[in-house]
Amino acid sequence: MLSTLLGKPRHWARVAAGGNRFFWIFLTLGLLGLSADALAHAVAQGDKGYIQEITGINLIAFTYLGAKHMVTGYDHLLFLLGVIFFLYRMQHIAIYVSLFALGHSTTMLLGVYFNVGINSYIIDAIIGLSIVYKALDNIGAYQRWFGFQPNTKAATLIFGFFHGFGLSTKILEYDISPDGLIPNLLAFNVGVEIGQLIALAMILIAINFWRKTDGFFRHAYTANVAMMSAGFLLFGYQLTGYFVA
């Protein structure tokens, strides 16, 4: 289906040549987002102090923190954008978003509960690659390079697991009080899902408006190249942090 939507490589060469300005807009925005706070799952300093200080059950506070994290988590949003980029029917969007939610909810909750931490630089580098993977999938690269289409549902679920480990790794670093841990984690996860729905709604409004213009298919390739570039930037930044730190 993607290859039908995207057309032949020669067509995309013409499209890419005509969409340079659009590409640089996307790439500039990506660079600005990465330079603002390149630790993809970082929690704001004030929120970090709050998490470390409070004890007991604080459902509203953790729900808010979960929603805020998702809405401001550009790595989640880029991957989510890639997932729904060529999805038009709401039932298809619901399936893929649910798989992503199932993946990151599972590893986030289990990772914190069982104290399973992964080096934050490594997990965030993998998350960067998840954005690269999805952008390449959207432009039909795997069909052209290898002659087959990977299972997109399985990939969404698997990368959801990695995104969840990114969440759990950061939460473990902040030494949340064990008093009320389970209810607070569940509230945080509910907040993450609320934030994901808010972010998804904003993305859908923007992309549906874009789809109604003549420029959508002319610039779809370029937009995914920009998204892929942002993923590589995140990947490179995190690997640099791992070896330098």
Side-chain angles (χ1 to χ4, degrees):
M1 182 179 70
L2 291 179
S3 60
T4 302
L5 286 169
L6 294 171
K8 297 179 180 179
R10 288 183 180 177
H11 166 74
W12 279 116
R14 294 193 299 271
V15 170
N20 286 334
R21 183 171 63 179
F22 194 80
F23 167 77
W24 287 113
I25 291 173
F26 264 76
L27 184 56
T28 301
L29 290 174
L31 286 169
L32 288 174
L34 288 170
S35 62
D37 189 355
L39 291 176
H41 292 282
V43 177
Q45 195 65 29
D47 294 339
K48 174 183 176 181
Y50 179 75
I51 290 172
Q52 292 175 326
E53 290 176 2
I54 61 175
T55 59
I57 298 174
N58 297 271
L59 301 182
I60 295 177
F62 275 91
T63 300
Y64 165 76
L65 290 172
K68 178 182 178 181
H69 179 85
M70 177 57 78
V71 171
T72 59
Y74 59 83
D75 56 341
H76 292 306
L77 300 183
L78 280 174
F79 184 75
L80 198 59
L81 171 63
V83 167
I84 70 168
F85 200 92
F86 284 119
L87 297 180
Y88 290 84
R89 297 184 179 180
M90 287 306 299
Q91 58 265 41
H92 294 161
I93 293 173
I95 290 172
Y96 280 88
V97 172
S98 296
L99 286 170
F100 182 55
L102 174 63
H104 68 65
S105 296
T106 300
T107 48
M108 189 274 286
L109 292 171
L110 293 180
V112 175
Y113 184 76
F114 290 106
N115 196 34
V116 178
I118 301 176
N119 183 281
S120 60
Y121 289 111
I122 296 298
I123 194 65
D124 284 347
I126 294 173
I127 289 172
L129 288 180
S130 74
I131 299 169
V132 173
Y133 168 87
K134 193 57 200 171
L136 288 172
D137 186 32
N138 285 347
I139 63 177
Y142 307 117
Q143 294 177 357
R144 293 201 299 271
W145 294 347
F146 309 114
F148 78 98
Q149 172 61 45
N151 188 314
T152 54
K153 292 185 177 69
T156 301
L157 177 63
I158 291 170
F159 282 123
F161 290 145
F162 285 107
H163 280 250
F165 273 126
L167 287 167
S168 66
T169 298
K170 284 300 177 185
I171 292 174
L172 287 172
E173 290 179 359
Y174 298 139
D175 296 324
I176 294 180
S177 171
D179 183 16
L181 177 63
I182 299 302
N184 288 339
L185 279 180
L186 292 175
F188 185 86
N189 190 65
V190 169
V192 166
E193 301 312 321
I194 293 173
Q196 178 168 275
L197 290 175
I198 294 172
L200 179 63
M202 294 188 294
I203 291 172
L204 284 175
I205 290 171
I207 201 168
N208 283 335
F209 177 79
W210 184 25
R211 284 169 178 167
K212 294 177 182 178
T213 69
D214 295 334
F216 176 70
F217 283 107
R218 291 203 310 271
H219 299 305
Y221 178 91
T222 310
N224 277 278
V225 170
M227 186 162 48
M228 178 177 62
S229 300
F232 274 125
L233 283 171
L234 176 59
F235 173 74
Y237 181 93
Q238 299 300 337
L239 278 189
T240 300
Y242 175 76
F243 288 109
V244 171

